[in-house]
Amino acid sequence: FRQLKTLISLYPDISRDVLGKIVMEVFEEPSFPSAPSNYINYTKTYRLSFLIGAGLVILIVVLYTYYHDTIKNKWELEDKLDTKLITVFYHEKSYLNLKERLLRRKKRLLTGAPGVSFNFSETVKKLRTNISYYQDKTKGKVILFTSYASKEGKTTMAANVAHTMAQKKQKVLIISGSHESGDLLNILNINLPKKFSSEKSNSVAERIYTKPDSTLSVLTSHENTRPGEFARFIASEKFKAFLERAREIFDCIIIDGPAAKDNSNTEVFARLSDFSVMVVRQNMSTSTNINDTADMLNK
């Protein structure tokens, strides 16, 4: 401590002798950073992250679509399914124009309706011709339209075939195979009289409504019918007896059946039908499920 104290006390004399008249100046004031030197461009980062994320999503969708065992085109259908291809319907626009799209008002997919393409109408006629040919070959009158899952287009196909057969002056009965008949009636542009929605009739024949100036008739369930009650009705001897009488009156009986997935009613209708038409929507149900449904219908 004494040594240090001595050095400190002598420092002024020593520095005066050593440094003399040297003047020391500050060349640059010390500066301290106010922001990171490696600044992150958030806008560029966000854009890059979005592009990478979008690319990954597209890649996942492509891989899922490629490896998911669905029917992607008619060639895959012939390779993967153990059944016969009747015809192929190509995509039909659901809206007439932008205004209708904004109002969420879909057009009626029925031959002859406004906005329905010529290609769609001609394909329906081709389907009708093939079915009529098969009817003549098998002498069958009762045809079941079904699919594995809902929203595959079976009601649209059933309604259009019934409609075009009626245009050929054939007596056609289309039966709603569900306790809800709204979609079928909307496609056919049928508004049932109040008595059909407000009264329950013990007679099945009294539930038949014939479209004015047409040979097309429709049989729907009562709007208050419960699913369990409807299932018992179609499995009853009363309904079987009605179908036998209907065979004598009508040239063709089309059943707009429910989807086979988780619905035993499809099997009941299949037993009552002479043959079945299964509608397969592109890239929706797996080929395994479709083949299982075809096996059930064949049995």
Side-chain angles (χ1 to χ4, degrees):
F1 176 77
R2 285 197 298 271
Q3 287 176 347
L4 288 174
K5 191 174 181 181
T6 301
L7 288 172
I8 291 171
S9 63
L10 293 175
Y11 178 75
D13 296 329
I14 294 172
S15 63
R16 187 167 47 251
D17 293 337
V18 173
L19 299 176
K21 296 182 178 181
I22 293 175
V23 177
M24 302 183 69
E25 294 181 357
V26 177
F27 289 101
E28 185 178 355
E29 292 288 341
S31 62
F32 302 94
S34 59
S37 58
N38 56 340
Y39 173 71
I40 300 175
N41 188 334
Y42 288 101
T43 303
K44 183 179 179 181
T45 304
Y46 291 152
R47 289 177 180 174
L48 184 61
S49 301
F50 173 78
L51 291 175
I52 293 173
L56 288 174
V57 169
I58 293 172
L59 179 62
I60 292 170
V61 170
V62 170
L63 291 175
Y64 176 81
T65 303
Y66 181 77
Y67 288 105
H68 194 47
D69 189 27
T70 57
I71 306 301
K72 301 173 185 64
N73 51 59
K74 65 179 182 180
W75 298 280
E76 281 198 359
L77 187 144
E78 294 171 344
D79 291 337
K80 293 182 178 181
L81 301 188
D82 301 325
T83 187
K84 180 182 178 182
L85 173 64
I86 302 177
T87 190
V88 176
F89 280 82
Y90 292 95
H91 176 71
E92 180 76 8
K93 292 181 180 179
S94 300
Y95 300 95
L96 290 172
N97 48 48
L98 180 60
K99 179 182 177 182
E100 297 297 310
R101 178 180 288 276
L102 293 174
L103 295 174
R104 307 300 295 174
R105 290 198 298 233
K106 291 185 177 181
K107 67 184 181 184
R108 284 190 303 115
L109 285 178
L110 186 70
T111 56
V116 174
S117 70
F118 175 78
N119 184 48
F120 181 85
S121 299
E122 287 302 304
T123 310
V124 169
K125 292 176 183 177
K126 180 181 178 182
L127 176 60
R128 177 201 64 195
T129 302
N130 288 334
I131 289 175
S132 297
Y133 170 77
Y134 201 72
Q135 274 187 287
D136 295 337
K137 182 180 178 181
T138 61
K139 305 301 180 184
K141 283 191 173 183
V142 182
I143 310 163
L144 171 65
F145 275 78
T146 187
S147 60
Y148 169 71
S150 57
K151 305 298 181 184
E152 293 204 54
K154 58 180 178 53
T155 299
T156 301
M157 296 298 101
N160 275 275
V161 170
H163 176 70
T164 52
M165 283 185 170
Q167 287 180 329
K168 298 286 284 185
K169 302 304 179 184
Q170 290 180 280
K171 293 188 69 175
V172 183
L173 172 65
I174 183 166
I175 300 174
S176 173
S178 171
H179 65 284
E180 296 177 348
S181 312
D183 289 343
L184 177 63
L185 296 175
N186 287 336
I187 294 172
L188 292 172
N189 196 27
I190 292 177
N191 294 313
L192 292 178
K194 289 184 178 179
K195 69 174 185 176
F196 284 90
S197 59
S198 60
E199 298 177 3
K200 273 193 175 183
S201 174
N202 292 324
S203 172
V204 183
E206 291 180 9
R207 300 292 311 161
I208 296 176
Y209 172 77
T210 302
K211 197 173 181 180
D213 302 321
S214 175
T215 58
L216 176 63
S217 301
V218 59
L219 172 64
T220 62
S221 62
H222 190 270
E223 63 177 12
N224 296 322
T225 303
R226 297 177 181 177
E229 184 181 348
F230 180 76
R232 288 191 295 272
F233 166 68
I234 63 173
S236 66
E237 293 298 325
K238 182 178 179 181
F239 184 68
K240 291 179 183 177
F242 163 75
L243 274 183
E244 291 303 317
R245 291 196 303 272
R247 287 175 184 271
E248 300 173 1
I249 300 171
F250 295 95
D251 300 315
C252 180
I253 302 167
I254 293 176
I255 301 176
D256 173 28
K261 181 181 180 182
D262 302 327
N263 197 321
S264 60
N265 291 348
T266 308
E267 210 165 328
V268 177
F269 281 122
R271 292 194 196 102
L272 299 171
S273 305
D274 297 318
F275 60 91
S276 305
V277 176
M278 183 166 55
V279 180
V280 176
R281 184 171 179 174
Q282 179 189 26
N283 207 27
M284 188 169 180
S285 301
T286 63
S287 58
T288 302
N289 290 330
I290 298 169
N291 276 323
D292 289 344
T293 304
D295 290 340
M296 180 271 291
L297 295 174
N298 286 329
K299 291 175 183 178

